[in-house]
């Protein structure tokens, strides 16, 4: 919802200042599911994250198990190989590192 407000304020500013501009909408639907962990670790290193911190994040991602509901019944648990879990408090921050 914040992005809608920011877009409206930007359009108003451009109109008042009689300036032109270009808007680009990026669709991040299902983007969390497609995050490659190796790329995330690489980017964390490039951005100067300490190796110990990267190992902690790696342990959080790689130790998780998930189950999927199929017709209301859970499947057996399995270990994901990529992606970020929706609802995890770290996910938005890790995703921003990938987007950067």
């Amino acid at each position: 919802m914040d992005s809608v407000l920011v877009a409206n304020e930007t359009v108003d500013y451009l109109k008042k200042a009689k300036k032109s501009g270009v808007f680009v909408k990026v669709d991040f639907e299902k983007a969390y599911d497609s995050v490659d962990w190796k790329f995330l670790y690489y980017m964390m290193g490039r951005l100067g994250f300490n190796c110990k911190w990267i190992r902690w994040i790696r342990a959080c991602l790689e130790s998780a198990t998930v189950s999927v509901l199929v017709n209301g019944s859970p499947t057996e648990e399995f270990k994901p190989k990529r992606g970020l879990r929706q609802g995890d408090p770290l996910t938005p921050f890790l995703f921003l590192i990938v987007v950067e």
Side-chain angles (χ1 to χ4, degrees):
M1 193 64 179
D2 289 340
S3 59
V4 173
L5 179 62
V6 170
N8 283 333
E9 289 180 5
T10 305
V11 169
D12 288 342
Y13 166 77
L14 292 173
K15 284 181 179 179
K16 288 177 186 174
K18 296 185 181 185
K19 294 184 177 184
S20 61
V22 175
F23 282 87
V24 178
K25 180 184 179 289
V26 179
D27 185 7
F28 286 127
E29 184 178 346
K30 297 186 180 183
Y32 282 9
D33 297 337
S34 62
V35 170
D36 181 71
W37 292 346
K38 288 180 184 175
F39 181 72
L40 172 62
Y41 307 146
Y42 167 78
M43 285 305 299
M44 290 177 77
R46 288 291 306 257
L47 292 172
F49 283 78
N50 186 290
C51 291
K52 190 172 190 176
W53 179 258
I54 296 171
R55 282 194 307 269
W56 285 343
I57 296 299
R58 188 175 184 152
C60 288
L61 292 175
E62 295 178 9
S63 66
T65 58
V66 295
S67 179
V68 179
L69 290 178
V70 177
N71 295 328
S73 299
T75 64
E76 284 189 41
E77 289 186 347
F78 61 94
K79 288 186 174 259
K81 302 291 182 196
R82 67 181 175 132
L84 301 172
R85 294 183 300 257
Q86 294 180 15
D88 185 330
L90 280 176
T91 294
F93 301 109
L94 297 176
F95 185 71
L96 287 175
I97 291 169
V98 172
V99 171
E100 182 65 29

